Amino acid sequence: MKPIIMKTFFISLLLVLQIHSHAQTVISQKDFSPLAGKWTGTLIYLDYTSMDTVSMLANTMIELSGSDSFDQYLYYTTEPDKNNKFRYTISADGKKLNEMTLMEKKLLNDGTWQLVLESRGVDGNDNRPAAFRHIMIIGEKTFSITKMVRFDGEGAYFQRHRYLFGR
């Protein structure tokens, strides 16, 4: 009788862990609410022409809109012609942010959330097909977005750019 009880206990535990794991692998607008407002920071990116790492001032403002989206406005102090606006929309099932698929959501030791999202596209001066890994760190005082690239046929990801914001 004891083996049946133990087996039932472990199956129940696995089901609870699976349900908890599933709950952690979806996003909602609430996850992005700490981002609302203005941020100051820096963009660090790999210049494909020179293969140098370049750093420039970058500021952003996040506005929550509706129940499933938010807008990000990017402002570049030294290159205002590069200013841009992005709309991010969360899928109804909470597993996508625009075309990016949520792969991981975890609470870090410092209380910030880390989201890892993946997508496909082209990158580089010659528009090569690539896999992208987008890593977002979301907190009350810190916010970062890192874009990692892995060209098709190559093994490792490399950092394409990273936005580091604070307030």
Side-chain angles (χ1 to χ4, degrees), residues 47-51 123-128 151 160:
D47 180 345
Y48 282 143
T49 302
S50 66
M51 296 310 286
D123 200 50
N125 293 341
D126 51 357
N127 293 316
R128 293 172 55 194
F151 290 113
R160 172 68 164 117

Side-chain angles (χ1 to χ4, degrees), residues 88 95-102 117-119 134:
Y88 294 96
K95 294 180 183 245
K96 287 188 153 241
L97 184 63
N98 291 354
E99 78 288 348
M100 301 175 287
T101 301
L102 180 66
L117 303 119
E118 293 185 351
S119 64
H134 312 269

Side-chain angles (χ1 to χ4, degrees), residues 29-30 32-37 62-67 69-71:
Q29 191 178 47
K30 181 180 175 187
F32 300 96
S33 62
L35 299 180
I62 307 291
E63 291 181 343
L64 302 177
S65 57
S67 62
S69 61
F70 62 95
D71 295 325

Side-chain angles (χ1 to χ4, degrees), residues 3-152:
I4 292 174
I5 293 171
M6 290 300 288
K7 187 175 183 179
T8 303
F9 171 77
F10 283 115
I11 290 172
S12 298
L13 181 62
L14 287 173
L15 287 172
V16 168
L17 289 173
Q18 183 177 11
I19 290 168
H20 178 71
S21 172
H22 174 72
Q24 293 299 310
T25 57
V26 296
I27 50 175
S28 69
Q29 191 178 47
K30 181 180 175 187
D31 295 313
F32 300 96
S33 62
L35 299 180
K38 295 180 180 180
W39 298 81
T40 59
T42 306
L43 165 62
I44 302 162
Y45 68 94
L46 176 63
D47 180 345
Y48 282 143
T49 302
S50 66
M51 296 310 286
D52 289 332
T53 301
V54 178
S55 178
M56 63 189 288
L57 295 176
N59 298 311
T60 194
M61 183 174 66
I62 307 291
E63 291 181 343
L64 302 177
S65 57
S67 62
D68 65 350
S69 61
F70 62 95
D71 295 325
Q72 179 182 24
Y73 300 86
L74 283 167
Y75 305 100
Y76 302 100
T77 307
T78 57
E79 294 187 43
D81 60 312
K82 304 284 187 202
N83 292 351
N84 214 337
K85 175 190 173 189
F86 302 96
R87 160 83 32 114
Y88 294 96
T89 302
I90 302 161
S91 64
D93 65 2
K95 294 180 183 245
K96 287 188 153 241
L97 184 63
N98 291 354
E99 78 288 348
M100 301 175 287
T101 301
L102 180 66
M103 304 306 289
E104 180 180 67
K105 174 185 173 183
K106 72 177 176 183
L107 184 61
L108 302 178
N109 291 337
D110 64 0
T112 60
W113 282 97
Q114 176 179 282
L115 305 179
V116 177
L117 303 119
E118 293 185 351
S119 64
R120 293 213 33 92
V122 295
D123 200 50
N125 293 341
D126 51 357
N127 293 316
R128 293 172 55 194
F132 302 120
R133 183 169 289 152
H134 312 269
I135 303 164
M136 299 178 82
I137 305 294
I138 299 170
E140 294 289 334
K141 301 287 182 191
T142 60
F143 169 41
S144 69
I145 304 171
T146 304
K147 180 179 180 182
M148 307 292 290
V149 176
R150 184 183 71 216
F151 290 113
D152 286 2

